[in-house]
Amino acid sequence: MKLINKSHVAKKMPVRLAVNTICKGLFFLATLIGLIVLAILFYRIFTQGIGHLNGDFLQNFASRKPEEAGIKAALIGSIWLMAVVAPVSLMLGVGTAIYLEEYARKNWITTFIKVNISNLAGVPSIVFGLLGLTVFVRALALDRSVLAAGLTMSLLVLPVIIVASQEAIRAVPRDLREASFGMGATKWQTIRKVVLPAAIPGILTGGILALSRAIGETAPLVVVGIPLFIAFLPQTVLDTFTVLPMQIYNWTSRPQEEFQQVAAAGIIVLLILLIFMNSIAVLIRNKFQKRY
Amino acid sequence: MNMTLTREKESPAIATGAVQPAASPEKVYETSYLNLWYGENHALKNINLDMHQNEVTAIIGPSGCGKSTYIKTLNRMIELVPDVKTTGQIKYRNRNILDQSYKVEDLRTQVGMVFQKPNPFPKSIYDNVVYGPRTHGIKNKKILDQIVEKSLKGAAIWNEVKDRLHENAYGLSGGQQQRLCIARCLAIEPDVILMDEPTSALDPISTLKIEELVQELKKDFSIIIVTHNMQQAARISDRTAFFLNGEVIEYADTNTIFSNPTDKRTEDYITGRFG
Amino acid sequence: MNMTLTREKESPAIATGAVQPAASPEKVYETSYLNLWYGENHALKNINLDMHQNEVTAIIGPSGCGKSTYIKTLNRMIELVPDVKTTGQIKYRNRNILDQSYKVEDLRTQVGMVFQKPNPFPKSIYDNVVYGPRTHGIKNKKILDQIVEKSLKGAAIWNEVKDRLHENAYGLSGGQQQRLCIARCLAIEPDVILMDEPTSALDPISTLKIEELVQELKKDFSIIIVTHNMQQAARISDRTAFFLNGEVIEYADTNTIFSNPTDKRTEDYITGRFG
Amino acid sequence: AGCGSDDAKTSGSEAKGSSQLQGEVITDGSSTVFPIMEAVAEEYMSAQPDVKVSVGSSGTGGGFKKFIAGETDLSNASRPVKEEESAMLDDKGIKYTELKLAFDGISIVVNKDNDFIDSLTVEELQKLWVDNGKVKMWSDIRPDWPKEEIKFYSPGTDSGTYDYFNEVILEEKPMVENATLSEDDNVLVQGVEGDKNAIGFFGFAYYAENKDKLKIISIDNGKGAVEPTHETIKSGEYAPLSRPLYTYVANKSVAEKEQVADYTQFVIENAGELSEEVGYISLPEEEYQKDLDKLKELKK
Amino acid sequence: MILEKKSKKKVDVEKIIPKLLFLMAAISVFTTIGIILTLIFETFIFFDRVSIVEFFTASKWLPFASVPSFGIMPLIVGTLKITLIAAVVAVPVGLATAIFLSEYASEKTRRIIKPILEVLAGIPTIVYGFFALTFVTPVLRELFPSLDMFNALSPGIVVGIMIMPMVASLSEDALVSVPKSIREGAYALGATKLETTIKVVLPAAISGIVASIVLGLSRAIGETMIVSVAGGSTPSMNMDVTSSIQTMTAYIVQVSSGDAGYGTTIYYSIYAVGMTLFVFTLVMNLLAQFISRRFREEY
Ligand SMILES: Nc1ncnc2c1ncn2[C@@H]1O[C@H](COP(=O)(O)OP(=O)(O)OP(=O)(O)O)[C@@H](O)[C@H]1O
Ligand SMILES: Nc1ncnc2c1ncn2[C@@H]1O[C@H](COP(=O)(O)OP(=O)(O)OP(=O)(O)O)[C@@H](O)[C@H]1O
Ligand SMILES: [Mg+2]
Ligand SMILES: [Mg+2]
Ligand SMILES: O=P([O-])([O-])[O-]
């Protein structure tokens, strides 16, 4: 007894195949959308800003005169900010991830920490700004320093790093750990010598994505109140500074037309920095990616 | 069902050639009344087994019978699985290793392990071998070099890799990787080596090489090997334990097990009636 | 090496009881000069094999010899692996399936497959079974219900699950899951069923059940089964092909292969000299 | 206004001779005043490279918050200090001095294609912008104007410009509800430029830079229609829509920190020219003189 | 050759490390506590001056009027509009991209496209803001002439574009981690790629996909600059997407960079709005976790 009418099935086949092909096309189009937007964005910004982009632009401080305006303070400031955010957020993020993946027992505290982290990932950046202002700038009297802003930003991007690192640590094959334990290595030795090295590509990818977010954020820094114009560079993490996105935002709000082009040039610098960081991530990912 | 087995029951399926061990040498492991549960699942039931120095002990049995579970208990690797409970005793050189005061790191420094799938670290061949010694605090470069050479020679892979010690271990073939894992294990100069189906992921040639190696190694070490390949057990072991559903059905000289099993189920298994 | 095989070469290790197939029935698959490469790795070499209707064809051989690769080529599942290249021909019912104009979806509607590890969908038992028919456009609830009952009965699991059809399939034991996967495969009423070591992850009891089932199924279907268990091949198959290093060393009636192999390597393998 | 910088430099170094100062000067506050302060700081630091001047842009309110907390030396403002704020300053014992820097003229603009409006009276402006609960047509203001719905564009409610407009035109009555608000005056320019029935207001500089895209409206406050120009704003003729911009300096900082005193003097001496350069209108000379006198008092 | 070299230090490290790591993990909890503490005092002062009932029921948000009204609904409505439009853009496009990359594209294509999309996720939001105002809005106004210069539609779409890579990248991870064996099961039954993806792979990955969408939408809710620049700043209650709006975050930025006097009710209102926003995202996250636990198909 046959319950399935084979000719019926055969008749439907071409339609199913066609639907599959059409959807494949749609999925591809959707993927293109992102790429097209990126292309348009880049095209517009480059055509507007490329004229202003020269050595002077990188070496000058901000100025009221568009032709003399430069991005030095903001660029160096952003790099200083990253120099605080990167180690702090990576250390805390990876530490937390190791704790959650390797040490934490299944109890309510662990569950609470996990829920808490995924919730923090969704807290608006501006709320972190309010936190930074109250805790770092005021309570800890760090003033509007690189350190205060860096710590604020670190907390902001921490969840991203934690989640990425957790994934990376979880993906390290069990048998590598077993091999290490099997030779009498302790837990921490195993983590330090086997798990972390194997998880590094994933951790760094997450880290760089987090830093890309930190480098482009404006709102929390506005709230923290870091200054916009300075014509000197920070010497220590306790000095004040300014960053690229704030400088760019300020230029865009100037009445003079030329400042719009200066802003575009600033955006190009920011994008180059961003792409530079992303390509490091991709390089690391591709270089260290081991097939287990 | 159109299947009949023509062979008579009396003639054992596979005659074995393992040499009978001379008298009973010193005991390395003594397991008594070992029970183990995975949560609710009673995976090992009242295991009683003794293993001897400079012998190869094979553990055979169908899939899921508890072979891996048992061998992982011998170096307490089983603790990595959450929710495992054990009762009973396993004495290694006269000390009960299931006693929590027994440091696992100590135990595992004495008892090396080789796994089913070769699992080298994604590091250079050299770094793989010195991983254990370094972990145990040996820093001296010259000593480390000596350890590497000795271990790789011991694992019969020195000639193949001596010119590429600093290349990544992932560039080796499966069989080479497995021998590297054995070398890595030899590097900590263990007393006992546990092997869980060390050849099941390998091609015939590599398998043969490893089998020969095991025969070599037993001069210096005691070896416990899990295999689902009865022929392999017959070829290389001195004693064989047959596990079924978490119980030891029969444990005897390999010769005896394969030529004259006492239990009907052992016979059924080795004659290929199931498994 | 202290290993000697006492048995004489002439007596085959395992006598087989598979009934000799009556004459040669219609051919389902005809493979000629099939070569397959994974990138640079030449995994199948000049394979020539015919498979017949209402028979069980077993494919045996040591690990890595290309068994899985070959069976996956029969329903073009191999295409999911990137960088695979094939030459030669596989005719299914007289049409070359390696021809790109042959739609894989059509082929796979005719040729079902059961995998090594049971792989039910994370859905209810019912949804697992009707997945195929629904995909093929059958919407009628009554017909679907009938299909579910018939397939589950066909896979000898109906009684165990008939009261919990809407529970998640992951609640079943390994053996039950594997029979569910067979039921899922039966539900599309295929012509041929491919099985890649369908019992290697199962316990002895479940294995026996599935072996009995295969014997039942061959009345209605043609079955091609990969196994690393020679006894299993001997018990259930009509013809056996012995693969080694990507080549077919010997292909003949199961009886002949096990009692009177022509090739030395076949004999070595089935007498357990390697693998 | 291109030659301002050279003069600024000379006056800076003249004011303090050749003595080199160092230390920090921290200023924050209004984003409207920011461009002036930025220009001053830029010039000052080329004369005194060892003094570190930082200029923030946290808004007038945000600036006062920091000023009250004692975190800044100068606080820029686009409105006079509020009662709450001065009360808190008193509480903290912070004495301060108000200095005027420049004028900002608020310009009323419509779309380039609007051919029926040239000038509005203050009353008409109020009638336009104050909410009456109904949709407003041009014809509601003057019957001969078209019967089309008006689109309103205004700076954000928390800006000094809105605040001033609210005070002098709306007289604290609520603004039309469907007005489109934006924080960024450039964005308003785009809005009015793209919308045929638009009317909007924003800082004079934004009109001055976009003259060819917008149409300016003259305002009649009873003495005839006046178009906002550089001159009419400076002379006070363009009334009531021009407002002064301020900076507040902490007396203690001037007395105790030499660099702050020096910087403040530099601010007053150069505010006129530099504010012109960035698009504002300088005050009459007497005003700056008054500020300088106040400063002299403080330094004693 | 191997000496027993068990120093005391080794034992100590094993005990100290977990404690140290726990402290690091606790920082995330302290952050949350810090946020709540930061917000709560000023929020209390605010509710001392404005009744909490008015805050949640009044239909107007006019903090600067001479008779101010603090009804947060218009800000919530504005936030929801943006989030909804962003979701309509980001979820289908992001999911389709994820499916294309994980199921259809070759390994090489994936390796190229994924990082490019990640660049899209890292572009500063101001850049997007001006992209919305100077490109998307004019294009949309060509299509719908009735669209205002500032509207919810344009920034909503651009926020959607901004979060799309996040949805795509994380969903793709979820899809890829569905075991191959499950896919093979479907293919072997003659299912097409599409049928396999929709009926087997997507349901199996649903919890990861929901998580990615929630993360994306949380960012949409928290997004500030794009809306400030291209959405205007007019709090309004209506459901119209063609006119100017204000969101909760945009209000906080407006006030914290604006003119409001320190100590005024307006000043404290940003904390009340911040608190609302915090609770808002908290509820949404908890809801999402509940949903993804409900629908998770264990494999
Ligand atoms: N981590 C685990 N959690 C729960 N049950 C487990 C776990 N590991 C194994 N088991 C169960 O314990 C029993 C013994 O498993 P074990 O892995 O020891 O079998 P085995 O003899 O090694 O089989 P194989 O030949 O397949 O490796 C099986 O029933 C298995 O399902
Ligand atoms: N995806 C792949 N890419 C590259 N090489 C592969 C791939 N899959 C299998 N091979 C190689 O092809 C050869 C045949 O593999 P195959 O899986 O067919 O063996 P098998 O006979 O099924 O072995 P087993 O009994 O272990 O399943 C092996 O050498 C294997 O390493
Ligand atoms: Mg096992
Ligand atoms: Mg296989
Ligand atoms: O920043 P303002 O206070 O001048 O609007």
Side-chain angles (χ1 to χ4, degrees), chain B residues 31-37 42-47 73 84-89 98 246:
Chain B
T31 305
S32 27
Y33 299 101
L34 176 70
N35 279 280
L36 185 144
W37 291 262
H42 197 171
L44 293 180
K45 296 164 194 155
N46 269 327
I47 308 285
T73 317
V84 164
K85 214 187 77 189
T86 49
T87 64
Q89 252 195 2
L98 295 184

Coordinates of all heavy atoms in Angstrom, one line a residue, chain B residues 31-37 42-47 73 84-89 98 246:
Chain B
T31 N 40.9 -2.5 42.0 CA 39.6 -1.9 42.1 C 38.6 -2.8 42.9 O 38.5 -4.0 42.6 CB 39.0 -1.7 40.7 OG1 39.9 -1.0 39.9 CG2 37.7 -1.0 40.7
S32 N 38.0 -2.3 43.9 CA 37.0 -3.2 44.6 C 35.7 -2.5 44.8 O 35.6 -1.3 45.3 CB 37.6 -3.6 45.9 OG 38.5 -2.7 46.4
Y33 N 34.7 -3.2 44.4 CA 33.3 -2.8 44.6 C 33.0 -1.4 44.1 O 32.4 -0.6 44.7 CB 32.8 -3.0 46.0 CG 32.9 -4.4 46.4 CD1 34.0 -4.8 47.2 CD2 32.0 -5.3 46.0 CE1 34.1 -6.2 47.5 CE2 32.1 -6.7 46.3 CZ 33.2 -7.1 47.1 OH 33.3 -8.4 47.4
L34 N 33.6 -1.1 42.9 CA 33.4 0.3 42.4 C 32.0 0.4 41.7 O 31.6 -0.4 40.9 CB 34.5 0.5 41.3 CG 34.3 1.9 40.6 CD1 34.6 3.1 41.5 CD2 35.2 1.9 39.3
N35 N 31.3 1.4 42.1 CA 30.0 1.7 41.5 C 30.1 3.2 41.0 O 30.7 4.0 41.7 CB 28.8 1.6 42.5 CG 28.4 0.2 42.6 OD1 27.7 -0.4 41.8 ND2 28.9 -0.5 43.7
L36 N 29.4 3.5 39.9 CA 29.5 4.8 39.4 C 28.1 5.2 38.8 O 27.5 4.4 38.1 CB 30.6 5.0 38.4 CG 30.8 6.4 37.9 CD1 32.3 6.7 37.6 CD2 30.0 6.7 36.6
W37 N 27.7 6.4 39.1 CA 26.4 6.9 38.6 C 26.6 8.2 37.8 O 27.3 9.1 38.3 CB 25.4 7.1 39.7 CG 24.9 6.0 40.4 CD1 23.7 5.3 40.1 CD2 25.5 5.3 41.5 NE1 23.5 4.3 41.0 CE2 24.6 4.2 41.8 CE3 26.6 5.4 42.2 CZ2 24.9 3.3 42.9 CZ3 26.9 4.5 43.2 CH2 26.0 3.5 43.6
H42 N 23.1 4.3 36.4 CA 24.1 3.5 37.1 C 25.0 2.9 36.0 O 24.7 1.9 35.4 CB 23.3 2.4 37.8 CG 24.2 1.7 38.8 ND1 23.7 0.8 39.8 CD2 25.5 1.8 39.1 CE1 24.7 0.4 40.5 NE2 25.8 1.0 40.2
A43 N 26.2 3.5 35.8 CA 27.0 3.2 34.6 C 28.0 2.1 34.9 O 28.4 1.3 34.1 CB 27.7 4.4 34.1
L44 N 28.5 2.0 36.2 CA 29.4 1.0 36.6 C 28.9 0.3 37.8 O 28.5 0.9 38.8 CB 30.8 1.5 36.9 CG 31.6 2.1 35.7 CD1 32.9 2.7 36.2 CD2 31.8 1.1 34.6
K45 N 28.9 -1.1 37.7 CA 28.2 -1.8 38.8 C 29.2 -2.8 39.5 O 29.6 -3.8 38.8 CB 27.0 -2.6 38.3 CG 25.9 -1.6 37.7 CD 24.9 -2.4 36.9 CE 24.1 -1.4 36.1 NZ 23.5 -2.0 34.8
N46 N 29.6 -2.5 40.7 CA 30.4 -3.5 41.5 C 31.6 -4.0 40.7 O 31.7 -5.2 40.6 CB 29.5 -4.7 41.9 CG 28.9 -4.4 43.2 OD1 29.5 -3.7 44.1 ND2 27.6 -4.9 43.4
I47 N 32.4 -3.1 40.2 CA 33.5 -3.6 39.5 C 34.6 -4.0 40.4 O 35.0 -3.3 41.4 CB 34.1 -2.4 38.6 CG1 33.0 -1.8 37.8 CG2 35.3 -2.9 37.8 CD1 32.6 -2.6 36.6
T73 N 37.9 6.7 35.2 CA 37.9 6.7 36.7 C 39.3 6.4 37.2 O 39.6 6.9 38.3 CB 36.9 5.7 37.2 OG1 35.7 5.7 36.4 CG2 36.5 5.9 38.7
V84 N 28.6 13.3 38.7 CA 29.0 11.9 38.8 C 29.2 11.5 40.2 O 29.8 12.2 41.0 CB 30.4 11.7 38.0 CG1 31.0 10.4 38.4 CG2 30.1 11.8 36.5
K85 N 28.8 10.3 40.6 CA 28.9 9.8 42.0 C 29.6 8.4 41.9 O 29.3 7.6 41.1 CB 27.5 9.7 42.6 CG 27.6 10.0 44.1 CD 26.2 9.7 44.7 CE 26.0 8.2 45.0 NZ 24.7 7.9 45.4
T86 N 30.6 8.2 42.8 CA 31.2 6.9 42.9 C 31.1 6.4 44.3 O 31.1 7.1 45.3 CB 32.7 7.0 42.5 OG1 33.3 8.0 43.2 CG2 32.9 7.2 41.0
T87 N 31.1 5.0 44.4 CA 31.3 4.4 45.7 C 32.3 3.3 45.4 O 32.5 2.9 44.3 CB 30.0 3.8 46.3 OG1 29.6 2.7 45.4 CG2 28.9 4.8 46.4
G88 N 32.9 2.7 46.5 CA 33.9 1.7 46.4 C 35.3 2.2 46.4 O 35.5 3.4 46.8
Q89 N 36.2 1.4 46.0 CA 37.7 1.8 46.1 C 38.4 1.5 44.9 O 38.2 0.5 44.2 CB 38.2 0.9 47.2 CG 38.6 1.6 48.5 CD 39.4 0.8 49.4 OE1 39.9 -0.3 49.0 NE2 39.7 1.4 50.5
L98 N 40.3 7.3 45.1 CA 39.0 8.0 45.2 C 38.8 8.8 46.4 O 37.9 9.6 46.6 CB 37.8 7.0 45.1 CG 37.8 6.2 43.8 CD1 36.6 5.3 43.8 CD2 37.7 7.2 42.6
G246 N 27.9 -2.2 32.1 CA 28.4 -1.6 33.3 C 29.0 -2.7 34.3 O 29.4 -2.3 35.4

